[in-house]
Structure formats: structure tokens, C-alpha cells
């Protein structure tokens, strides 16, 4: 018998997280996300029969973890577990995903509503039962409401699934909270499994100094940022270090920021966040937008990789002036406009032959680097029997595997499965 883990997505790839646990004939699903192919079309995880599920847990609101979950409500109504901010932000992101990709998606708003009605909302540390499974969510430090799932199977096998995780404290969130528990299996992400992030305070100082230089010489800084997480970090940082600088917020970040306020009990320091929001101008329409870039200040706007959103409008407006600047603070996927801009210094698709404004990239990741990931494995090493490395490019996964073997030894089984594979976990 034993506990089985089937990889439906997120095996050897970043995103499309979907992991099916099976024990004593009962199934439990961890995340059900989507990915995008080279043409930007959505890719879905492997099929699962919703009626067979004892439950589903969603770690956080990013589409690569929640984007496929409404599919489960076409033919079923499984109970789905997540934090309140994950559901609220997830709904915004899924509606946007539907709007842009309806042709490729088999579910509609109706299934999203069915999913919401079946949601069992959990706070960190609150225990829940799902059939003969039990689970607890704790903070993952990645975005508002993001969680690690601690799952105990019907036969008593204890699993932790990190989702996307950050092990350092940031302006908006506390670091991930590792629950005290004797773990048998760790399912760990590896987005930055081979990367050592530079110390956060040094990156932030460099960003602040650069903003200060540009704004004091009368320039405008555009910071294209992911609407969930990164935008909120940036407004807090600027408020703390450069409170006299005008900050404008545009795009979907505005709605998400309101949700950050609504769920302030999930923030590290609600006071800091409230103050940052009070000192930020929310762009309400074209009149505001046309005014914002003409004055010295900072514009924080989605999309983080310059794939659409108001950041494209601002980029075109400020690109031709050397006193302005574009500071990229998000991950830039290969072939995304942001990546092309960094590579070639121009962007023909937006009519920018050569960017005259200053351009810089800052590593402000919301994922743990290799050392943070190793620390999680070390934390549980005395009882761990299985480590399953997922949600990473093959190179990063192999690197992290090597790092863990060097530090923990080979008493523990380390798996690096691909999509479609099934693992039998050692008890
Ligand atoms: Zn992810
Ligand atoms: Zn994420």
C-alpha cells in the first residue's frame, strides 16, 4: 500500500502546481494551477476526478497554483481549503485570466462561484478535517495569505507542501512559519533552487539611492511590478526611506492593495502598510494617468514584465528622456517585453528603438533562494524520509538536490519527478 503522490503539474517546471496524494483509497489534491506556453496560451495540469477527492488545498492566489481549480466544479463540488485573502485575490486574478483567455478555458464564472461556495476558509494554525485527512495552513511569507500546507493522511503520514515560499521577512509579510511537527515527507518548490539572492537590505538600498538620484534631478521613475505582492512591497519601502517622494499606483495593483488593507491581520505590520497607502496616489483614470508621468516621482504599475497594463503606456511616455528611469523589480520571463528590454535596450513592439531612460533590474524576489530552501529541509531532517522537489527548472532542481544530499546525506529519498509520474512515499 503506502502513500502515493502523483505529479499532475509542476514537475520539472515552474508553475502549474498540482500534486495528488492518495492513501487508503482517499485522495487529496494540493494546488491546481496553470502555466502559459510560448504563445502565452494556458496549459492545464493532468486530469483528476473531482468526485474522488476528499478535499483540495490551495496555497496562494497566483494563477500557477489556483488557476485550474474551478475546473473541479464542472462535474464535482469538492471542499476546498485556503485562507480568506487567497480566495478574494484568487477571484480577481481568475476573472482577469478568464477575460483574457476565455477561448482556451473550459470553466466559466459559474464554476468560480461554485468553488467559492465550497471554500472552507482557514486562518494560520487552525486545524481542519477533510475526510480522514487533517490539515493546517501556516504562513509561507510569499504573498498575502500564502500558506504552507501541513497534511496528515488517513494512515498518519505527515506531509508538508511549501507552495511558493519565502524565508526572509519583507516589508509586508513575516517570514515563512515552519510548524513544529515530525514530518515524513517534504514537497518543496525550487524556483530559485540554484540561486543565492543578494542580501535584501543591500538591494533595497541600491533601489532607494537610484530612485533618489532620478527624482532629485527632476525625472520620473517607472517601476513595473506584479500587482500582487511586489507593488505593495515597493510602496512600503519608498514610504519608509523617501517619504517626500510622490508615489502613484496604477493597474490591478490598486484592487489588490485594497485587499491587503482588508486583511491587515495577515500583514507583518498593518501600521506601516496603512501609512504607505495613505501616502500613495491611486490613479483613477486617464486624466490622472496623463498627469502622473509629467512630474518627478515614482509610478508603480502592473504588469511586472511589461506584458500589457498601464506600465506599457508609461514606458512609451518616459522612454525618450535620459532623466527618467525604468526600474524592473520582478522576475522577467524569457521573451517577455521586460526581458527583451534588458537584453537589447529597446523594444520594437512598443515602437521604442532605443530606450534613453535609465534601465536597471533589482532582485527583490518573493521566493527563497537556495540557502533558504536548504534550511527548510534541515529543519525537519531528523524525521524526514522523503523530499520531493518540484516547481523549478530542471537545472535548479538538480542543483538543490545536490545541495540537500551534501548537507543531509542520502538517508532520505530525494525525488525529482516529472509530470505524470507517481511516487510511493516511504513511511
Ligand atoms: Zn508558483
Ligand atoms: Zn506564487
Amino acid at each position: 500500500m503506502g502513500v502515493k503522490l502523483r505529479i499532475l503539474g509542476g514537475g520539472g517546471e515552474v508553475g502549474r502546481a498540482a500534486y495528488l496524494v492518495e492513501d487508503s483509497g482517499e485522495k487529496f489534491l494540493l494546488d491546481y494551477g496553470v502555466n502559459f506556453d510560448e504563445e502565452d496560451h494556458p496549459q492545464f495540469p493532468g486530469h483528476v476526478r473531482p468526485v474522488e477527492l476528499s478535499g483540495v488545498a490551495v496555497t496562494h492566489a497566483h494563477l500557477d497554483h489556483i488557476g485550474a481549480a474551478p475546473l473541479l466544479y464542472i462535474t464535482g463540488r469538492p471542499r476546498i481549503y485556503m485562507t480568506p485573502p487567497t480566495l478574494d485575490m484568487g477571484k480577481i486574478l481568475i476573472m482577469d485570466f478568464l477575460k483574457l483567455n476565455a477561448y482556451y478555458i473550459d470553466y466559466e464564472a459559474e464554476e468560480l462561484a461554485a468553488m467559492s461556495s465550497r471554500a472552507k476558509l482557514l486562518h494560520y494554525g487552525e486545524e481542519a478535517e477533510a475526510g480522514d485527512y487533517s490539515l493546517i495552513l501556516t504562513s509561507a511569507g510569499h504573498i498575502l495569505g500564502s500558506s504552507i500546507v501541513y497534511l496528515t493522511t488517513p494512515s498518519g503520514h505527515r506531509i508538508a507542501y511549501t507552495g511558493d515560499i519565502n524565508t526572509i521577512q519583507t516589508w509586508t509579510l513575516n517570514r515563512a512559519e515552519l510548524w513544529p511537527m515530525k514530518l515524513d515527507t517534504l514537497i518543496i518548490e525550487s524556483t530559485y533552487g540554484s540561486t543565492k539572492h543578494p542580501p535584501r537590505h543591500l538591494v533595497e538600498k541600491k533601489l532607494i539611492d537610484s530612485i533618489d538620484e532620478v527624482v532629485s534631478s527632476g525625472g520620473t521613475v517607472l517601476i513595473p511590478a506584479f500587482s500582487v505582492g511586489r507593488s505593495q512591497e515597493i510602496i512600503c519601502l519608498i514610504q519608509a526611506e523617501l517619504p517626500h517622494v510622490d508615489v502613484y499606483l496604477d493597474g490591478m495593483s490598486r484592487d489588490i492593495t485594497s485587499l491587503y488593507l482588508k486583511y491587515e491581520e495577515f500583514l507583518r505590520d498593518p501600521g506601516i502598510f496603512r501609512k504607505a497607502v495613505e501616502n500613495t496616489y491611486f490613479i483613477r483614470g486617464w486624466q490622472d494617468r496623463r498627469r502622473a508621468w509629467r512630474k518627478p516621482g515614482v509610478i508603480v504599475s502592473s504588469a511586472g514584465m511589461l506584458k500589457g497594463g498601464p506600465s506599457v503606456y508609461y514606458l512609451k511616455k518616459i522612454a525618450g528622456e535620459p532623466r527618467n528611469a525604468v526600474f524592473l523589480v520582478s522576475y522577467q520571463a524569457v521573451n517577455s517585453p521586460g526581458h527583451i528590454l534588458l537584453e537589447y535596450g529597446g523594444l520594437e513592439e512598443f515602437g521604442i528603438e532605443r530606450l534613453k531612460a535609465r534601465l536597471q533590474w533589482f532582485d527583490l524576489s518573493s521566493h527563497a533562494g537556495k540557502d533558504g530552501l536548504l534550511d527548510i529541509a534541515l529543519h525537519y531532517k531528523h524525521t524526514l524520509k522523503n523530499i520531493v522537489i518540484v516547481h523549478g527548472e530542471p537545472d535548479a532542481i538538480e542543483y538543490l538536490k545536490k545541495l540537500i544530499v551534501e548537507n543531509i546525506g542520502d538517508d532520505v529519498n530525494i525525488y525529482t519527478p516529472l509530470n505524470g509520474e507517481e511516487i510511493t512515499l516511504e513511511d
Side-chain angles (χ1 to χ4, degrees), residues 87-145:
L87 180 62
D88 259 1
M89 291 197 295
K91 283 198 278 193
I92 294 180
L93 297 179
I94 289 171
M95 283 311 290
D96 186 60
F97 173 57
L98 261 175
K99 206 169 80 191
L100 298 172
N101 300 280
Y103 179 79
Y104 300 96
I105 305 176
D106 287 337
Y107 65 78
E108 292 173 22
E110 199 184 320
E111 280 75 33
L112 176 59
M115 180 183 97
S116 307
S117 73
R118 293 295 291 157
K120 167 78 181 143
L121 301 178
L122 296 177
H123 279 76
Y124 294 144
E126 187 184 337
E127 195 170 338
E129 315 252 299
D132 291 321
Y133 285 87
S134 68
L135 70 149
I136 288 176
L137 307 180
T138 69
S139 163
H142 171 63
I143 60 169
L144 191 78

Side-chain angles (χ1 to χ4, degrees), residues 18-38:
Y19 314 103
L20 185 66
V21 179
E22 183 173 359
D23 184 16
S24 316
E26 285 193 48
K27 293 179 181 170
F28 192 94
L29 183 61
L30 297 165
D31 279 343
Y32 209 46
V34 297
N35 232 350
F36 294 89
D37 66 13
E38 267 143 43

Side-chain angles (χ1 to χ4, degrees), residues 15 60 64-65 164 367 391:
H60 66 288
D64 64 320
H65 296 258
D164 290 348
H367 291 263
H391 196 290

